Amino acid sequence: MAFVVSYFSLSLILLVLLSSSSAANAQLSPKFYANSCPNLQTIVRNAMTQAVNRETRIGASILRLFFHDCFVNGCDASILLDDTATFTGEKNAAPNRNSVRGFEVIDTIKTSVEAACSATVSCADILALAARDGVVLLKGPSWQVPLGRRDARTASQSAANNQLPSPFSNLSALTSSFAAKGLSARDLTALSGGHTIGLARCTTFRGRIYNDTNIDPNFAANRRANCPASGGDNNLAPLDIQTPTRFDNYYFRNLVAQRGLLHSDQELFNGGSQDALVRTYSTNPEVFSSDFAAAMVRMGNISPLTGTRGEIRRNCRVVN
C-alpha cells in the first residue's frame, strides 16, 4: 500500500511539474496584450513604417538586433541596456561594437507605447514586433508574434562574445551554435536568409573576397574595389547584391552562384548538408518565406522571461 501511495504521489508531482512547464511555455501568446494594450501592434507598425521610410536599411538592422538579443541568454532585451560606470552590457561585445544599430528606433517606439499603455509592454516584445514589421515592410513574409516576454535586469558581454555565430564560422560551428539554442540546421539556413537585406562591413568579409576559393571571381573583384586588403574596415557592401532592400530569395540564388558575401553565408552551399535546401529556397521563394517565418517564431521563443521573472522596463536602456 505504501508503494501505491508513493507511486501516486510521485505521479502527481510529475504531473504538476509538467503542467508548470507547459504553463511557462504557454505564457507567450499573440493576444497577450489584447486587453492591456490593444493598439500595441498598430503603434509599432506605424513607427517602423516611418523608420523604414527614412532609411530602408533599418529593417535589416532591427532584424539583426533581435537575433543578437535572442542568441544571448534568450529574447530578453538585454542587448538594449547601456553600459554605465557600474554595469557592463552587451553593446560593446566584439560582435556588436560599431555594428548593431537601431536602438533609437526602439526608444521611439517605447516612448509611444508608454504613452498609450504605461509600464505594460516589455522592450523584448517591442523588439520582437519591430523585427517582424521590418521584414514585412521590405516585402517579406509576416507571422504572428507570440508575446508576453519580460525584460532582463542583467546582461552578459562574455556571453555575447561567445554565443553569437561568427561571420567566419564553418558549417559545423554554425550548426552547433544554432543547436545550442534549440534550433535545427533548417532553421539556420532559413534564418540566414535574413541576409537578403542589409549591409555588411568590410572587416567581416575581407577574408572571404581575398582568401576563399569557392567564390565567383568577378564578384570578388567587385567587392575588393570597396574593401582593400588593409584599411576601410567600416566600408559597407550589400549582403544581397541584386535586391538589398527587398526581402526575397536572391540571397540563396547568390549562394548557388558562389556569390555569398560572408564566409559563413557560402558555407551553407559548399558541398555540405544544406546544399539541397539552399537550392530549394533559390527556386521556391514560398518555401523560404514559410520556413523563415516559422523559424523566427522558434527563435523568438528562446528562453523568454515570463510570469514574475525580469521586469517591464520603462526605459529600454536602463533597468528600472
Side-chain angles (χ1 to χ4, degrees):
M1 185 67 181
F3 170 78
V4 172
V5 172
S6 300
Y7 181 79
F8 176 77
S9 301
L10 180 60
S11 300
L12 188 61
I13 291 168
L14 285 171
L15 184 62
V16 169
L17 287 173
L18 286 170
S19 300
S20 300
S21 173
S22 298
N25 291 331
Q27 283 177 349
L28 292 190
S29 163
K31 298 180 179 178
F32 189 85
Y33 299 108
N35 296 320
S36 60
C37 196
N39 294 323
L40 169 63
Q41 303 217 22
T42 300
I43 294 169
V44 176
R45 176 64 62 88
N46 288 344
M48 281 300 296
T49 300
Q50 292 175 6
V52 170
N53 285 343
R54 278 194 307 270
E55 184 200 24
T56 315
R57 181 189 176 196
I58 202 67
S61 299
I62 297 293
L63 177 61
R64 184 165 182 261
L65 192 57
F66 183 54
F67 171 67
H68 279 222
D69 182 38
C70 290
F71 259 63
V72 181
N73 299 325
C75 310
D76 59 3
S78 57
I79 196 170
L80 304 179
L81 292 170
D82 283 341
D83 287 1
T84 69
T86 57
F87 175 84
T88 301
E90 297 164 17
K91 288 184 177 179
N92 285 303
N96 296 333
R97 188 171 54 248
N98 301 321
S99 175
V100 287
R101 57 198 300 274
F103 300 107
E104 295 79 8
V105 173
I106 301 302
D107 292 340
T108 299
I109 299 173
K110 179 63 170 173
T111 299
S112 297
V113 170
E114 283 295 309
C117 326
S118 179
T120 301
V121 181
S122 67
C123 300
D125 279 342
I126 287 172
L127 180 54
L129 287 169
R132 187 270 312 272
D133 288 350
V135 169
V136 171
L137 290 164
L138 297 178
K139 311 303 182 187
S142 186
W143 58 92
Q144 282 201 316
V145 178
L147 301 167
R149 302 168 190 80
R150 288 166 66 85
D151 298 322
R153 295 190 179 99
T154 59
S156 175
Q157 187 176 103
S158 62
N161 280 325
N162 295 317
Q163 294 178 18
L164 287 166
S166 162
F168 316 113
S169 293
N170 62 25
L171 181 58
S172 175
L174 292 168
T175 304
S176 295
S177 93
F178 274 68
K181 304 300 176 184
L183 298 172
S184 68
R186 191 179 186 100
D187 292 329
L188 156 67
T189 301
L191 290 170
S192 295
H195 286 177
T196 186
I197 52 176
L199 306 171
R201 295 184 302 147
C202 169
T203 186
T204 64
F205 61 84
R206 179 182 286 118
R208 164 112 176 104
I209 61 174
Y210 285 96
N211 301 325
D212 285 3
T213 55
N214 60 340
I215 188 168
D216 175 81
N218 291 328
F219 172 74
N222 288 336
R223 292 280 66 89
R224 288 174 191 154
N226 193 44
C227 181
S230 62
D233 284 1
N234 293 319
N235 292 356
L236 298 171
L239 287 154
D240 167 359
I241 57 174
Q242 283 88 1
T243 56
T245 59
R246 184 183 180 92
F247 198 100
D248 55 27
N249 70 332
Y250 265 100
Y251 167 81
F252 296 103
R253 297 195 213 180
N254 287 328
L255 296 187
V256 172
Q258 295 193 318
R259 292 196 292 261
L261 183 63
L262 306 179
H263 178 83
S264 56
D265 288 331
Q266 198 61 55
E267 279 291 295
L268 300 176
F269 190 82
N270 191 34
S273 64
Q274 298 308 292
D275 281 20
L277 184 58
V278 168
R279 282 196 186 277
T280 296
Y281 289 163
S282 75
T283 57
N284 195 325
E286 292 79 14
V287 174
F288 163 53
S289 290
S290 176
D291 280 5
F292 180 83
M296 283 295 292
V297 172
R298 282 190 285 274
M299 185 177 77
N301 286 339
I302 298 175
S303 306
L305 298 173
T306 57
T308 57
R309 296 185 300 157
E311 65 182 16
I312 304 297
R313 268 182 238 149
R314 303 297 291 268
N315 175 344
C316 293
R317 292 174 179 266
V318 294
V319 296
N320 293 342

